[in-house]
Amino acid sequence: MSGQVVVGTQWGDEGKGKIVDVLAEKADMIVRFQGGDNAGHTVIVNGKKYVLHLLPSGVLRQDAPCIIGPGVVCNPFVLLEEMATLEAGGLKCDHIIISDRAQILMPYHRYQDKLEEEAAANKIGTTQRGIGPCYADKYARRGIRYHEFIDFDHFKTKLKEVLDFKNKLFTSVYGAEPMDYDTMVKDFEKIYDRIVPMIKETTHIVNDALDANKTVLFEGAQAAMLDINYGTYPYVTSSSPTSAGVTTGAGVAPSRIDTVVGVVKAYSTRVGEGPFVTELLDEQGEWIRKTGGEYGATTGRPRRCGWLDLLVVNHAKMMNGLTDIVLTKIDVLTGLEEIKVCVGYEIDGKVYNYIPSDQAEVAKAKPVYKTLPGWSEDISKMETVDQLPKNCIDYVKFIEDFTGVRISMISVGPDRINNIYVHEIK
Ligand code: GDP
Ligand code: IMO
Ligand code: MG
């Protein structure tokens, strides 16, 4: 039995999609456990690019069942669009299963997200995919789950009830137009026959697979610093993108998790608002953005860029219990004379080796850097550690020593095949 988890360790966009696709080759089942179509994962297979939002990145491996777990907020219209794109490209999608406990992300959630962001004095910079409002409704117990869609009459009654409530909010608080019930019902009627066959009770499917010694890969979206409890609150997403999220979001016990793989990008990026201690607002940051192609896959926004922050990685290590690190995009740093790595925060004259909870404190922090020498050799086609330039090996080793977590794989390019395997991920 092997329960493997892949999580982001920074602010998202570490290359999780690519790494999940690589690890999924040996998985018997892939399960997403949180988030929704706020995610944007780019996977490149033999030069062909796939951009996935809601579908697990493991979907490209066509044999393993691919589950949208109970903890996901799933917009069925986006799901069908993504499936149509894959099918048009010759891939099959009959291995996709939606948990009957997953929340239906409704059209009014997107609308609410947009209205809230527009009205907020303190903007979060959300992806405006309706994620926050959908999770808020879930916890307020007015969410609609997939099993409630099967009986369409029940679904219509519940929709009426919730939409009446939402329309009061839209019109009286935001002064916005109400949403039309009949149009919404018609839109859902159109997708009924395609969605309903995909809805299943998934917790038994997943636990039975683990019982049968199968390898189940739990695929995280977003990342530790966007975690609702342990991220840079309130500049976070509304789910738990850590290994703990797997237990509630996929319906498995903590003891079933064997391996937790943290994906670490060799530098930092962040999309949306919130403190970012190592952010580079100068030409160096612009150079990283251009060289690394750091533009959001979901919103197209330029990503904020900065040096690697090892306090962030250590925070993710602690919150996730990382057993392995996969280091990505180190090829992007090629050509720099020197590379900085943050090893402490100085706040009002005091040096911290951990991240304080109060974001107002973090916003004041000055990074304490260790400077390492760079390299100029093209490493993007290298296949073994000993081919790497010495300074590049030293950079990897520095991260490994500082975090105390072994680096099991080094990704040196965006394609499925651009990897250096160091230790087997079990
Ligand atoms: P995710 O959200 O964590 O899946 O990451 P994204 O897909 O949003 O962003 C990562 C970007 O970097 C994508 O465009 C990938 O194709 C690309 N990428 C992933 N790994 C590597 C790598 O090792 N080197 C380079 N140059 N690009 C990579
Ligand atoms: P992947 O899976 C990067 C950020 C948004 C915003 C905050 C809240 O591709 O790594 P939300 O729409 O979730 O309410 O937005 O979280 N965010 C991400 N940033 N990568 C992501 O996903 C993200 N998903 C959400 O930019 O700051
Ligand atoms: Mg992304």
Side-chain angles (χ1 to χ4, degrees), residues 5-21:
V5 184
V6 175
V7 287
T9 58
Q10 294 152 307
W11 286 275
D13 305 326
E14 297 88 352
K16 298 176 293 295
K18 175 201 154 156
I19 302 309
V20 165
D21 170 66

Side-chain angles (χ1 to χ4, degrees), residues 115-348:
L115 293 173
E116 278 176 3
E117 274 287 276
E118 279 168 5
N122 212 6
K123 296 191 197 312
I124 305 294
T126 75
T127 59
Q128 301 204 4
R129 295 299 189 271
I131 307 300
C134 189
Y135 276 115
D137 278 350
K138 169 178 174 169
Y139 287 99
R141 291 152 296 180
R142 71 174 150 261
I144 307 182
R145 307 208 294 185
Y146 271 84
H147 65 81
E148 297 183 86
F149 189 50
I150 298 170
D151 176 350
F152 202 69
D153 285 332
H154 163 83
F155 174 76
K156 282 197 294 190
T157 310
K158 184 132 183 206
L159 174 60
K160 179 90 186 63
E161 202 181 292
V162 184
L163 191 60
D164 283 349
F165 171 81
K166 291 283 174 187
N167 276 338
K168 280 189 203 130
L169 176 77
F170 298 152
T171 52
S172 25
V173 175
Y174 295 109
E177 290 296 312
M179 295 188 93
D180 184 51
Y181 172 74
D182 292 330
T183 311
M184 215 177 283
V185 168
K186 276 196 197 110
D187 289 343
F188 275 101
E189 241 163 17
K190 281 186 215 147
I191 63 169
Y192 185 88
D193 289 343
R194 277 176 294 160
I195 290 292
V196 168
M198 285 195 274
I199 305 172
K200 296 204 171 110
E201 203 291 315
T202 58
T203 51
H204 284 92
I205 299 176
V206 175
N207 281 285
D208 287 353
L210 289 165
D211 286 344
N213 283 329
K214 307 267 190 202
T215 296
V216 180
L217 178 58
F218 298 99
E219 170 178 339
Q222 289 83 49
M225 295 309 286
L226 294 173
D227 182 275
I228 186 73
N229 293 303
Y230 305 104
T232 52
Y233 190 89
Y235 303 100
V236 292
T237 191
S238 300
S239 65
S240 298
T242 54
S243 56
V246 173
T247 62
T248 57
V252 297
S255 55
R256 312 216 76 161
I257 298 173
D258 304 288
T259 306
V260 185
V261 180
V263 184
V264 177
K265 181 149 63 179
Y267 50 91
S268 304
T269 62
R270 167 161 214 175
V271 199
E273 303 305 317
F276 180 2
V277 176
T278 63
E279 181 169 18
L280 292 164
L281 295 164
D282 55 7
E283 279 168 17
Q284 185 65 72
E286 187 53 36
W287 183 90
I288 294 178
R289 187 174 308 112
K290 285 227 170 74
T291 317
E294 296 296 350
Y295 299 89
T298 300
T299 57
R301 289 179 289 181
R303 294 173 181 155
R304 300 159 64 192
C305 297
W307 297 119
L308 178 64
D309 184 339
L310 287 179
L311 263 53
V312 163
V313 180
N314 268 353
H315 183 70
K317 168 198 162 181
M318 179 169 69
M319 299 325 306
N320 285 290
L322 299 183
T323 57
D324 300 80
I325 284 177
V326 172
L327 186 65
T328 60
K329 302 194 85 161
I330 190 162
D331 54 299
V332 172
L333 300 180
T334 298
L336 290 174
E337 245 165 64
E338 42 187 43
I339 303 169
K340 289 186 178 159
V341 185
C342 177
V343 293
Y345 288 177
E346 194 198 312
I347 306 171
D348 296 332

